[in-house]
Each structure stands twice: as C-alpha cells, then as structure tokens.
Amino acid sequence: MKKIQMVDLISQYKCIEAEIQKGFDQVLNTASFINGQQVTQFANNLENYLQVKNVIPCANGTDALQIALMALDLKPGDEVITADFTFAATVEVINLLNLKSVLVDVDYNTFTIHPEAIKKAITPKTKAIIPVHLFGQCANMEEILKIAQEHNLYIIEDNAQAIGADYIFSDGTTKKSGTIGTIGTTSFFPSKNLGCYGDGGAIYTNDENLAHKIRGIVNHGMYKRYYHDEIGVNSRLDTLQAVVLNAKLPHLDEYNKKRMNAADYYDKEFANHPNLQVPTRAEYSTHVFHQYTLKIVNSNRDELQKYLLEKEIPAMIYYPVPLRKQKAYFSDDYKDQDFIITDQLINQVISLPMHSELEDEQLKYISDNILMYFNTKN
Ligand SMILES: *Cc1c(COP(=O)(O)O)cnc(C)c1O
C-alpha cells in the first residue's frame, strides 16, 4: 500500500505532467513570467466555469480577501462579521485594514457561520459579512443574503475551501459557491481543491464597477502605466502558476467527484457509530470535501489522533484554537456563552486524509483502524 498522506500532489501531477511541462516550456522560452497570456486565459476559463462576469487573479487567497475589502471603501472602525471557527487569514486582513473584526459562532452540523449569530452581532457600524465556505460546503447563503439585504451589508464569500461546490436555492436554482455575494475570493494554495504549484488566488464578482476597482488595486492602483489612481498593492498570479491552473481546471469536477467518493466510503464505514459523527451534508449545498471532518463524541479525540499517527495515518485538527482566543485577536468583548458551538467543535473535530488520489485499500486501512480503536476501547 502507498504511504497515506493528508494530500498527495505528486500522484496527481503525474497524470498531467506532459501538459504542464509543455506549458512551462512555453513560458520559459518567451520569458513572459508576469501577466503572460496564460493568466488572461485562466481568468476567462474560470469565469466560464463559475459563470461569473469577472475573475481577477491575484497572488494568494489572503490577498484576495484583503483586496476585496479594500474595494469596498470601508472606513477605519467599520465592523466586519465573520466566523470564530475558520483559518486566520479571514480575520487577519480585516484587522490589517484597521477595520473591526466581529467574530461569531457557527452551526454545529455544518461548521459554517450561524445566521442567528450574525443577526445578534449587527450594529450601526456593521458594513460587511464574510461567510467562509468551510471544509468544502457553502454557508447558508440564502439566510445570509436576507440579512445583508435587510441591513444593507456587503457579502464577501471566502471560497478558499469550496471551489466547485454548488449552492442550491430553495426554488431549485443553483449558483457556484463564491458567486452569490458581492465578491467571492479563493486560494490556489497547493493543497486546495484547485491548487497550483506555489501561491495563487483569485477574486470574482458580477459587479462591473467593483471589478474595475479590483483590477486597479491588484496592480498598484494603475489603469494607465505610471498613473496611480488609488492606493493598491502588488498582487499577481505568476504565469507559470496559470499554466498549472489551466491544466487542472478542466479536471476540477473530476477531482471533486473523487473526493466525494472517498467521503461516501468513510460515511458508510462510520454510519451510526456511537462515537463518530460523519460530516453533515446541508440540503442547500453540494459538498466538495476540501476536508473530511469527523466529530468524536464521548471519547478522547486527541488519543485517537495519537493512535492513528502510530498506524502511520495522518489526521489533523482544523482548527485547534478559536480565533477569538488567539493572542493576535483576543478581546474582552467576547463572552464564552456566545461561542458554545465553536468551543465544543475545537475539542471534537478531526480531519482524515482527503484528496483525489486516495485508493480503496488506503480508505479501508484508515477506516478499519478507526473502528478498531473504538472496539478495543469499548
Ligand atoms: C487557505 C485559506 C485562505 C488563505 O489562502 P492563501 O492562499 O493561503 O493565502 C483563506 N481562507 C481560508 C478559509 C483558507 O482555507
């Protein structure tokens, strides 16, 4: 059996090696390293895939969030609501721009921001909500859209973990994750569902004015060379990374399908187990399983993780500390009674190996060992 990894990028590369090498050669032989035609091509390809009017590539998913916020013309002290249970990039950029991050609790079943918690956190200074489509599944966008409309708020969807997922509205229509709110952002970090071979990111929107503004911000606020209309940043997708993404995008649905199949396998093995809760699949979203995250109930999660590591099965805790308890973002304003779910989840969650190259033999070894662990305990 092949060694089990959280992600297996080498096996995936081997399947598209020739195309990528050819693309790299083209770039190397034309030296069009910055803003080469492959970057524009990729933006067009992703626009078609997502059915969104504008995709603006940038340097990484954290920049994408920062640039999205910069485009909204917020003022210092304006409040932005996001989830306490997510990767730190989301809250980092809010604070970097001298905005005030307001962290709220999440839903126990879906791990995503809780609409009722958003409502409770709204003040006259609230300007935007950043729902994070955590682990591969959309947040409850229909509820969030309602709240945003009622209070006149922007929505930035952090879609770093759910590219390719479909949001299903109650009338049956669907939209790709990240294309529902004001702006969507994503990351092409190598381990993401659509990853490049270094850092990369993108911002998308159907709003032409915002798209124009964002195109300026990613490039020093320049629309005409050496004329700077606003304060921007330098955030570009390398042409070499665009080659990788152009090769991989046509396979994204197939990669996601393989993740879903692996998730189905785990689900079946762990169904109705007294100590294991399999990930909930919300009725309003497909799930592209960036992570397969179990909840361990009435048992010691950390002991299980140690046991698995001894069996050479990697398993990770996403995330071990809520953002409001991180040194950088700590505030006395937060009361533990408002974060009961987050505090519960950080003790219960464990993410199993999940990628497009998992083999049945590996899935069986992983699930057998998890079931064995509980059999020997009980
Ligand atoms: C990965 C990730 C980011 C940041 O992406 P980078 O490309 O690493 O900067 C932001 N938000 C979430 C939820 C992520 O998972």
Side-chain angles (χ1 to χ4, degrees):
M1 188 177 67
K2 258 200 299 192
K3 188 172 152 49
I4 298 173
Q5 298 170 279
M6 282 303 279
V7 291
D8 180 358
L9 297 171
I10 296 170
S11 302
Q12 197 192 53
Y13 165 62
K14 289 295 166 195
C15 303
I16 45 176
E17 183 174 5
E19 189 180 350
I20 288 185
Q21 289 294 344
K22 193 174 143 213
F24 279 1
D25 274 349
Q26 253 167 25
V27 177
L28 296 175
N29 285 312
T30 53
S32 54
F33 301 115
I34 304 287
N35 288 336
Q37 56 153 11
Q38 291 88 342
V39 178
T40 322
Q41 222 168 55
F42 172 65
N44 292 336
N45 292 342
L46 192 58
E47 282 164 4
N48 286 334
Y49 176 83
L50 294 172
Q51 292 294 299
V52 69
K53 288 193 187 129
N54 303 279
V55 166
I56 300 109
C58 66
N60 58 68
T62 308
D63 275 8
L65 283 162
Q66 178 182 330
I67 293 158
L69 280 168
M70 287 170 79
L72 296 179
D73 279 331
L74 305 180
K75 294 181 188 51
D78 280 351
E79 294 177 5
V80 180
I81 297 174
T82 191
D84 191 28
F85 185 70
T86 175
F87 180 59
T90 325
V91 66
E92 184 175 50
V93 295
I94 298 172
N95 289 279
L96 206 56
L97 295 172
N98 289 319
L99 304 168
K100 185 177 176 212
S101 57
V102 177
L103 298 168
V104 303
D105 211 0
V106 295
D107 176 78
Y108 184 69
N109 291 320
T110 59
F111 308 118
T112 51
I113 195 164
H114 203 300
E116 291 306 318
I118 296 176
K119 282 185 200 165
K120 268 180 69 178
I122 289 175
T123 75
K125 287 188 151 179
T126 307
K127 291 285 150 43
I129 309 168
I130 308 186
V132 181
H133 301 322
L134 203 71
F135 300 154
Q137 180 168 245
C138 294
N140 189 341
M141 290 306 292
E142 211 156 352
E143 286 298 316
I144 295 169
L145 280 171
K146 258 190 241 159
I147 299 169
Q149 268 151 18
E150 190 176 329
H151 297 272
N152 202 18
L153 308 175
Y154 298 113
I155 300 174
I156 299 174
E157 298 175 68
D158 183 345
N159 195 33
Q161 299 191 3
I163 193 161
D166 289 308
Y167 190 85
I168 306 153
F169 288 87
S170 43
D171 66 2
T173 57
T174 67
K175 275 188 185 171
K176 285 284 175 203
S177 62
T179 67
I180 303 154
T182 322
I183 305 177
T185 67
T186 205
S187 161
F188 305 121
F189 186 81
S191 65
K192 303 281 154 114
N193 291 36
L194 179 64
C196 57
Y197 296 165
D199 278 309
I203 308 150
Y204 17 101
T205 183
N206 283 312
D207 182 314
E208 298 298 337
N209 292 330
L210 282 174
H212 178 73
K213 187 132 193 223
I214 291 165
R215 286 200 171 90
I217 294 173
V218 297
N219 191 29
H220 302 294
M222 275 194 295
Y223 295 98
K224 190 171 155 198
R225 213 156 198 200
Y226 306 123
Y227 290 80
H228 303 271
D229 293 2
E230 51 199 316
I231 300 175
V233 293
N234 170 14
S235 188
R236 296 180 286 236
L237 181 72
D238 290 342
T239 312
L240 287 169
Q241 301 304 344
V243 166
V244 177
L245 293 166
N246 279 328
K248 285 175 83 168
L249 181 59
H251 299 286
L252 177 60
D253 285 344
E254 162 202 328
Y255 294 154
N256 283 342
K257 186 79 182 53
K258 286 181 174 175
R259 287 171 179 268
M260 291 179 211
N261 290 344
D264 287 345
Y265 189 107
Y266 284 140
D267 271 5
K268 226 186 271 161
E269 293 294 310
F270 305 141
N272 305 317
H273 192 286
N275 302 112
L276 297 170
Q277 285 185 15
V278 302
T280 305
R281 286 132 186 260
E283 73 277 9
Y284 50 73
S285 176
T286 61
H287 200 321
V288 295
F289 287 98
H290 177 60
Q291 299 296 342
Y292 183 89
T293 305
L294 286 171
K295 288 189 286 243
I296 307 301
V297 290
N298 303 318
S299 187
N300 188 323
R301 188 264 324 262
D302 294 338
E303 250 179 53
L304 168 65
Q305 187 189 25
K306 236 169 60 195
Y307 174 89
L308 293 176
L309 288 179
E310 280 163 20
K311 305 282 176 192
E312 298 197 37
I313 300 169
M316 301 289 286
I317 311 305
Y318 303 122
Y319 296 92
V321 183
L323 292 176
R324 75 181 198 286
K325 299 217 161 149
Q326 299 283 358
K327 273 188 207 159
Y329 306 113
F330 182 83
S331 156
D332 282 328
D333 295 349
Y334 295 122
K335 302 281 170 270
D336 283 352
Q337 74 244 31
D338 293 326
F339 297 89
I340 290 167
I341 304 300
T342 296
D343 289 348
Q344 211 174 349
L345 288 176
I346 54 153
N347 291 313
Q348 293 184 343
V349 289
I350 186 165
S351 296
L352 302 185
M354 174 50 78
H355 50 81
S356 55
E357 311 301 316
L358 277 169
E359 291 165 4
D360 277 357
E361 188 185 18
Q362 294 176 311
L363 289 165
K364 180 167 167 30
Y365 178 80
I366 297 164
S367 9
D368 283 355
N369 272 291
I370 291 173
L371 294 172
M372 195 123 61
Y373 170 81
F374 288 106
N375 282 341
T376 52
K377 295 228 32 135
N378 296 336

